[in-house]
Structures are given as C-alpha cells and as structure tokens.
Amino acid sequence: MTTDNNTTLTATTVDHNNNNNSQTNSPLLSEDKSAPIELKTVSSSNKEDLTLQQCVISDQEFPTSHFQQNHTLTLENYDWIKTVLGGDDKFDPDHKMFETLLLEKENIKSEHAKNSLKISDFAFALVKNRYDKYFNEDTKYATCCNIKELLKHSIVLVIMTVVVIVFLLVSAIPIWAIEGGNELRQMRENNITLTNENGTITQLEKWNYGNSVYYCLVTFTTIGYGDFYATTTGGRVYIGFFGLAGIAIMGSLLVIIGKTTTGTVKSILMSISIGMYKAVNFCRGRRDLKLRHSDRLYKFLSHPLTQFSYYTFFWLSYVFVCAAIFLAIEGWSYGDSCWYCFVTLGTIGYGDFYPKTRGGKVFFMFFAIIGLGFEAIMIGLISEVVMECLDKLKKKVREWWIKLFKKRKH
C-alpha cells in the first residue's frame, strides 16, 4: 500500500505461537482479527509513520497518520472509522453515506478534491446527519414536548387545583363557625326572625359558608379587598395564627403549579416559534422548511424575550375575557372590570371594586386560582429572561476587563 507521503508499507502477519514470521501481501485490514498486523516501513520521509497506534475496534495497529482527519477515506477503512465516530457498528451498514460522499466529490470541479475523500468529510457528514435527525426532521426533540409530558403536567395541574379548592373549603369552616355564630347571636338579640314562612332557617346575610370561603381566599392570597374582616376575638386569633400558615400554604401550592407547568408552557411557546418560523419561510417561497439555528429569524423567534411576549399576549387575553364576564355579572363598565382584574391578579386589592353578587364571588374564586397560577408561570419566565440578560452582561464585563488588563500589561 502507498500512503500520501509516498511510504511503501508491507503487512506482516505475526504468529505468536510459532516464532516464524510470514510476509504476505494481504490488505491493510485483514478479516482475521485474531492475528494482529505489524507494519514494516520500507522507505519513509515522514517520521510519524514509524509510530504505530492500536485500533481497539479492529484489533489492529496503524500508523499515526491513519487517525488524522486528513487521512484518505476508503471502503476498506470505512467500517472501523464509522464505528469509532458513529458509536455504533450497525450505523450505515449498506455504505450509503460513503457512496453519497463519493458522488458529492465527483461533482466538485477540482481534481485534487475529487480524488481525496478524507475522514473529515465523513465526520462532517455524520454530524450533519445527526443534526437533521434530531433537530430538523422531528420537532419533538427540538421542543422537548410530547403528549405524555403534556398529559402528565395537566394531571398535576388539575390535582393541585383540587388541593387548593379543598384547602379553602376546609379552612373556611372555623371562621364560618366563629363569625357566623356571632352574627346569629346578634340576630337573636335584635329579635330578627331566624325562620321563613316555610319553617326553614334563614341563611346568614354576611357570614354564610360561601362568603367564608371567599374571605379565606381573599386573605390567603393577600388580595385583601376589605369588604370582609373578622370582628370577633376568636376570628381575629384564628386569622392571626392560621392566616400566616394559610398564606404560606397557598403560596407554596401556587409555586408548585408554576414550576410544574413552566416546562410545558415553554415547550408550547417554542412550538409556536417553530411554527411561525416555518410559516414565514413558506411565505418567502422556501421549499425547505427545516430549522436553521444560525438564521436571525430563528434566533429572534426562539429568544426568551420573544417567547415571553407570546405568554404576555395569552395572559392579557385571559384578563380581557374574564373582565367581560365580570362586566356581565357585576354590571361594571368594561374599563372598571379590566382595572379590577389587573388589581386582583397583582394581589394589590385596593377595595374600590370587589364582587358583591353570589355569582361574582363564585367566578372570582376560579378566576383568582387560575390567574395566580398564570402569574407564577410568568414570574418564572421573567426570571429566565433576567438571568439571561445578566449572563450576557457578565460576559461582556468580563471581556472588557480582560481587554483592559491586557492593555495595561502591555
């Protein structure tokens, strides 16, 4: 065999059981792996060919130049090279990639490039093949979103919402008993009839069970409209001790909801970015709709700030729709309804607007629980955007400091 350095090599098979060496004209890669191959240098102008390296895949020794990226790729050494680089001996068993590379080389005008298929050509083609497989052909790997993960997070979200509702229903019982009992005693002292014409007990006007649940939700979410507040000593003691625990428990549940669903939300937002990228390229007339991560459009659409703008759009849509529902239930103007929704989800609770009807209070409970879950997700997305901006700023400051230090050193 003649190498690129005009070194003539002869292969000698060594029999370790017998001390007789038999020189053959066998090819460089012998099919018999039980007999290692030694390479004798007849004449060489390159000292690196005197050094032999053991190839674990083929159990043979080759000159150092055979492991360099500019070494010629042939059909004889293709099997063990693709096993080393591909990591799997079953990869490309029909040598289709090798044939494709040869065809690509034949289309090159340069005769030198046409007749010199290198290991580096195969390495580049292999990386491109894996890239097309995992990032272009299947968007599940690009977005990390699949049906099982979405279903799992949806189940967790439903379970956590049920836990929050049960927690509110249970925590409202003591305050209902304390404040409701006090209201009942006041009704008796004022000689107010406790039964109606049918003989059933009249429902409490203020501290009924529904209002007690509403009061606990307003308190534990720190909204605090001020329309309901404890007047008895027992009620104040209960809120003083259990209220802090309720705020911590409610906050923890909302954080769990946010952390559990943030990954799914990010995957959905990434899917939207990919869809918009492909739609724009389709409108441009591009037939190839594969992702190009170096494209400026893709970088813009996949940026966390852009995806946060998607989420902001959905959050505003949720607020505007809920504002329309409050307009229909409470009879407020649409502007006042939007103001109320923003103040509520911000847990500010000025108290200028609050639900007064039974239907408004029931809808408020679902609106607040779901909306505060959205708020938790939004906080997570904002933190990622801020952290990425801080990382970029940190890198720039570090580069500037290094340049300044080098200038002072010189």
Side-chain angles (χ1 to χ4, degrees), residues 94-108:
D94 299 330
H95 300 170
K96 292 183 178 180
M97 182 177 289
F98 181 80
E99 296 175 358
T100 303
L101 291 175
L102 287 178
L103 292 175
E104 292 178 355
K105 285 291 183 179
E106 290 178 358
N107 295 327
I108 299 177

Side-chain angles (χ1 to χ4, degrees), residues 28-29 36-39 47-68 80:
L28 185 60
L29 290 179
I37 293 179
E38 290 183 356
L39 299 175
K47 295 182 180 180
E48 291 184 357
D49 289 334
L50 298 177
T51 305
L52 299 180
Q53 297 290 338
Q54 179 73 23
C55 179
V56 180
I57 300 300
S58 61
D59 292 333
Q60 298 169 6
E61 289 183 336
F62 301 106
T64 305
S65 60
H66 283 58
F67 296 90
Q68 296 177 357
W80 69 266

Side-chain angles (χ1 to χ4, degrees), residues 109-144:
K109 296 181 180 180
S110 174
E111 293 295 333
H112 176 72
K114 182 188 298 185
N115 298 324
S116 59
L117 186 60
K118 305 295 183 181
I119 294 178
S120 58
D121 297 326
F122 170 73
F124 181 81
L126 177 64
V127 173
K128 185 177 182 299
N129 179 274
R130 295 293 175 89
Y131 176 83
D132 292 340
K133 178 179 180 181
Y134 292 106
F135 289 94
N136 294 338
E137 296 179 357
D138 195 348
T139 57
K140 290 192 300 182
Y141 294 95
T143 61
C144 300

